Amino acid sequence: MREELAGFTIGVTADRRRDELAALLERRGARVVLAPALRIVPLSDDTELREATRACLDQPPDILMANTGIGMRGWLEAAEGWGLAEPLRSVLAGSYVVARGPKARGAIRAAGLHDQWSPASESCDEVVDHLRRRGVAGQVIAMQLHGERQPECTLALEAAGATVIEVPVYRWAPPTDPAPLHRLIDLIAGRLVDAVTFTSAPAAEALLRAAGDRSEAVLSAFRTDVLASCVGAVTAEPLLRQGIPVSAPGRARLGALVRTIVDELPRRTVTLKAAGHLLTLRGHAAVIDGELRPLAPAPMAVLRALAQSPGRVLSRTALLRTLPRGADEHAVEMAVARLRAGLRAPRVVQTVVKRGYRLRVD
């Protein structure tokens, strides 16, 4: 199989670059569920941004903390509209510029400015530690915010003697249509997705918050069967605080994120021999003798249960527990029939009269 992610279902929580990420995953064979957890919206009232810009012109900052590419571009575009772009670039050109990540660095350079340092972890904490070691007493720091205030960073720098000008450019808002996010949460809780991608820490927090009374089921799924794949260490922090193991690339890029998923998901599959066939279980499909066989959720659930104990007989009652609520033993029989038809290898699942079903391993 050339499509490394064929048979896997992956949730995408990004908004702005969701189509790009979805295309990268689909190109590798994945089934993608789009469910933006948040969206970026410009500030409806730009008074605060204008005041912060004026403050930077009146007190030219010694240090500029550029947190995001979209934020830096939005700030400079707003300044252009006020006729302040050139004065702003002029004062920022004299600053010690810290770009928190590659996108912020790109925006800084596109504006004709020069960045002096970036944190390896892309975290605010590392930036603050670096600046405190460098010394900030008596200095003015312009901090471009990324969607929300960062009081812990601001207070730490002020405690070290700096004056901090917070520059708000945009804010995070709930998705226009929350239905896809709640559908993804249901899929996570039901373990019907194999991985969920996160490209920002606020999006990870938003998904966990939106889970509501399904929180325990979602956390349990992430801690066991569903891979939480983050674009970088900063994005992973809200998940790690909940005891969720995460995968993340060494470089915070979408391409690197996809490569990490390509490496990780196939390693999590179950492979066994049954009735002379080589059988591998993927998210919504089985691979039998190298051929992908997509399966509906009910037959896939039955196959997973049987594969946990190859050769062992599972009763209809035991298999019924793997199906959605409200199903009956007839639904088990239908799921087994559909499983056999889907695999196109009827001998793999054996009926044991008056006892149940098992995977034939002899």
Side-chain angles (χ1 to χ4, degrees):
M1 288 172 45
R2 281 183 254 172
E3 296 183 321
E4 306 100 321
L5 297 178
F8 293 114
T9 301
I10 300 173
V12 170
T13 62
D15 178 31
R16 197 168 57 88
R17 300 182 70 188
R18 62 186 174 187
D19 293 336
E20 180 183 353
L21 180 52
L24 289 171
L25 293 166
E26 288 171 343
R27 200 173 300 148
R28 288 159 177 81
R31 176 188 293 173
V32 174
V33 177
L34 293 175
L38 288 174
R39 59 192 172 97
I40 291 174
V41 295
L43 294 175
S44 57
D45 181 355
D46 64 7
T47 302
E48 286 184 73
L49 179 57
R50 190 190 288 252
E51 288 176 352
T53 304
R54 286 288 184 191
C56 288
L57 297 177
D58 294 341
Q59 289 182 282
D62 302 286
I63 298 167
L64 167 63
M65 283 178 61
N67 277 308
T68 63
I70 189 173
M72 284 305 303
R73 288 193 299 272
W75 184 14
L76 291 166
E77 286 168 7
E80 186 82 47
W82 305 322
L84 299 176
E86 285 310 311
L88 179 60
R89 281 194 189 88
S90 179
V91 299
L92 295 181
S95 303
Y96 177 81
V97 179
V98 173
R100 193 173 61 87
K103 295 176 191 172
R105 187 184 308 121
I108 287 292
R109 294 177 181 179
L113 303 173
H114 301 285
D115 53 292
Q116 277 81 26
W117 184 81
S118 291
S121 68
E122 301 186 18
S123 72
C124 177
D125 289 343
E126 188 178 349
V127 173
V128 170
D129 289 343
H130 169 76
L131 293 178
R132 285 193 298 196
R133 284 195 303 271
R134 190 172 180 273
V136 295
Q139 297 195 329
V140 176
I141 301 175
M143 182 190 297
Q144 176 254 312
L145 302 179
H146 53 102
E148 54 194 23
R149 293 192 67 244
Q150 299 163 270
E152 66 287 349
C153 294
T154 299
L155 292 172
L157 292 169
E158 288 176 342
T163 298
V164 179
I165 301 172
E166 295 184 328
V167 183
V169 185
Y170 59 84
R171 63 184 176 87
W172 295 105
T176 305
D177 179 7
L181 179 60
H182 288 290
R183 176 173 174 259
L184 176 60
I185 288 168
D186 287 339
L187 293 174
I188 295 167
R191 292 165 167 78
L192 296 174
V193 289
D194 303 286
V196 179
T197 61
F198 297 96
T199 56
S200 73
E205 291 170 339
L207 183 143
L208 296 177
R209 190 166 55 247
D213 58 6
R214 295 164 291 179
S215 291
E216 284 308 311
V218 166
L219 291 174
S220 174
F222 274 133
R223 290 166 184 159
T224 51
D225 299 320
V226 179
L227 174 66
S229 194
C230 300
V231 75
V234 174
T235 298
E237 286 175 4
L239 302 171
L240 292 172
R241 286 197 296 269
Q242 296 294 330
I244 296 171
V246 302
S247 72
R251 298 176 72 233
R253 301 284 198 282
L254 291 189
L257 172 64
V258 172
R259 286 191 294 274
T260 300
I261 296 171
V262 167
D263 289 341
E264 181 69 21
L265 275 186
R267 288 206 297 261
R268 296 161 68 98
T269 59
V270 174
T271 298
L272 48 85
K273 281 199 168 183
H277 299 281
L278 187 64
L279 183 65
T280 298
L281 278 63
R282 294 193 165 198
H284 63 264
V287 180
I288 185 161
D289 298 330
E291 294 293 325
L292 188 75
R293 302 280 189 250
L295 296 169
M300 194 73 217
V302 168
L303 179 58
R304 285 192 185 285
L306 294 173
Q308 286 178 358
S309 305
R312 180 182 163 207
V313 177
L314 293 186
S315 68
R316 288 177 175 80
T317 302
L319 291 174
L320 182 59
R321 289 195 286 270
T322 71
L323 300 183
R325 290 178 187 174
D328 55 21
E329 290 195 2
H330 177 66
V332 174
E333 294 171 7
M334 290 298 297
V336 170
R338 292 171 69 193
L339 174 57
R340 286 172 171 153
L343 293 176
R344 301 180 207 168
R347 292 181 64 251
V348 167
V349 180
Q350 180 184 19
T351 301
V352 180
V353 179
K354 296 186 179 179
R355 292 181 59 200
Y357 303 95
R358 71 181 182 100
L359 280 188
R360 188 191 294 269
V361 293
D362 51 341

